[in-house]
Amino acid sequence: MKVGFIGLGLMGLPMAQNLRKAGHELFLHSRSGVPADLQGEGMTACGSPAEVASKAEAVITMVPDTPDVEKVLFGENGVASGLSSGKLVIDMSSISPVATKDFAKRIGELGCGYVDAPVSGGDIGAKAATLTIMVGASETDFERARPLFEAMGKTITLVGDVGSGQTCKVANQIIVALNIEAVSEALVFASKAGADPVRVRQALMGGFANSRVLEVHAERMINRTFKPGFRTRLHMKDLEVALSNARALGVSLPGTALAQQMFNSCVAAGELDEDDSIMCKAIERLSGHEITKKS
């Protein structure tokens, strides 16, 4: 398939590379420029989102936030201005479910399909093509997009109509944030009590407390390696989407609000662009103790 890909950041770059490995022809655009190693046979750099849309059958967007998606789609030289009837727009960013429905309506008026398909799995999943992909779309558009998803992900689920993918991703981010907070508390507690957090983590991974956060993020907390797999600023953005939509729905999310406040304290400490496992430092500062290995 001729595929447009807009947004070649930490997640987008390996996702695009996996599409190329699967044999798709790529038309690429990124505000920071298209890397030289993504230009060559079967890969073409484009000067604008409109140019991408004019050349591709399906256009994928993978950018940070709701305003970024709106600008890419409907701004000057945006995707919408390059579309022709019958094409497919697939947004794999993590953004507002409400805005997603509006974007889909506007793209639909141009005679094109729209799919929202946010992902989970971080940069590790993006590189390994094992992402979890949560899809909101019609059955027809989902089937059109499926071959692309299969090149990037392992668990692909049609959750419901447009907007449902983003709603599922918000739920995912709530669970992950609260899990990070819980694992942070547990490791600070264990370390301060004199236990080796390395062995505590190993023991917990064999029981009901196991999770991907315990497997991946706890290791980062223990080894003090906070190079971003998923930046704190992006997780905070997702939690703000959760809290703002919760207010509109009249839903109480007390744990989510607490996790957001923990992230806020990391921002105050200048840790906005670290991995979201950095939340452990907020717990450490409150406790006056840093997670410390025995050896």
Side-chain angles (χ1 to χ4, degrees):
M1 191 182 297
K2 293 183 177 181
V3 183
F5 203 105
I6 300 171
L8 300 171
L10 191 66
M11 296 286 290
L13 179 60
M15 290 165 69
Q17 289 171 326
N18 285 325
L19 285 166
R20 181 57 193 149
K21 288 176 185 176
H24 300 287
E25 183 178 357
L26 299 183
F27 299 91
L28 306 166
H29 179 75
S30 180
R31 63 185 177 187
S32 58
V34 177
D37 60 354
L38 276 187
Q39 300 180 46
E41 185 179 354
M43 298 180 289
T44 303
C46 297
S48 68
E51 184 182 351
V52 170
S54 69
K55 294 181 177 179
E57 301 166 65
V59 180
I60 296 173
T61 54
M62 185 63 177
V63 296
D65 205 348
T66 305
D68 300 303
V69 175
E70 184 168 28
K71 182 177 180 180
V72 164
L73 293 181
F74 306 109
E76 185 178 0
N77 294 317
V79 168
S81 62
L83 289 174
S84 54
S85 182
K87 293 190 175 185
L88 187 64
V89 174
I90 305 168
D91 178 37
M92 302 190 76
S93 318
S94 295
I95 67 169
S96 164
V98 174
T100 291
K101 292 177 182 179
D102 175 62
F103 298 163
K105 181 176 180 292
R106 293 160 71 180
I107 293 296
E109 290 170 351
L110 300 174
C112 298
Y114 193 96
V115 175
D116 65 291
V119 303
S120 180
D123 64 324
I124 295 172
K127 292 172 184 174
T130 57
L131 291 169
T132 292
I133 305 177
M134 299 155 265
V135 187
S138 67
E139 290 276 359
T140 300
D141 288 339
F142 175 66
E143 291 303 325
R144 289 175 67 193
R146 187 195 288 271
L148 305 181
F149 295 150
E150 289 174 344
M152 298 179 284
K154 185 176 181 181
T155 303
I156 303 160
T157 306
L158 177 60
V159 180
D161 294 336
V162 170
S164 298
Q166 295 296 349
T167 297
C168 187
K169 179 59 186 288
V170 171
N172 179 86
Q173 296 303 79
I174 291 170
I175 293 169
V176 172
L178 270 63
N179 205 347
I180 294 172
E181 201 275 339
V183 169
S184 298
E185 287 192 14
L187 291 183
V188 170
F189 167 78
S191 178
K192 184 64 183 284
D196 186 348
V198 173
R199 296 193 178 188
V200 169
R201 170 180 171 272
Q202 183 180 6
L204 293 176
M205 283 172 60
F208 201 60
N210 193 27
S211 68
R212 285 291 290 162
V213 169
L214 186 64
E215 292 173 19
V216 178
H217 280 36
E219 187 172 36
R220 288 170 172 160
M221 295 172 188
I222 293 166
N223 293 330
R224 319 308 289 173
T225 53
F226 299 108
K227 180 181 178 181
F230 188 72
R231 296 181 191 276
T232 294
R233 69 164 68 243
L234 295 178
H235 207 147
M236 290 184 68
K237 176 263 297 182
D238 292 341
L239 294 190
E240 181 52 41
V241 171
L243 292 168
S244 62
N245 279 265
R247 285 191 292 270
L249 292 169
V251 174
S252 178
L253 302 179
T256 305
L258 173 61
Q260 186 73 310
Q261 287 304 312
M262 292 295 101
F263 279 139
N264 283 342
S265 75
C266 293
V267 172
E271 296 158 348
L272 188 63
D273 285 310
E274 301 288 356
D275 186 80
D276 54 359
S277 58
I278 201 76
M279 189 194 288
C280 71
K281 287 194 175 183
I283 306 298
E284 290 171 345
R285 285 187 284 265
L286 288 170
S287 304
H289 178 81
E290 182 178 295
I291 298 166
T292 307
K293 291 189 286 188
K294 288 289 188 180
S295 58

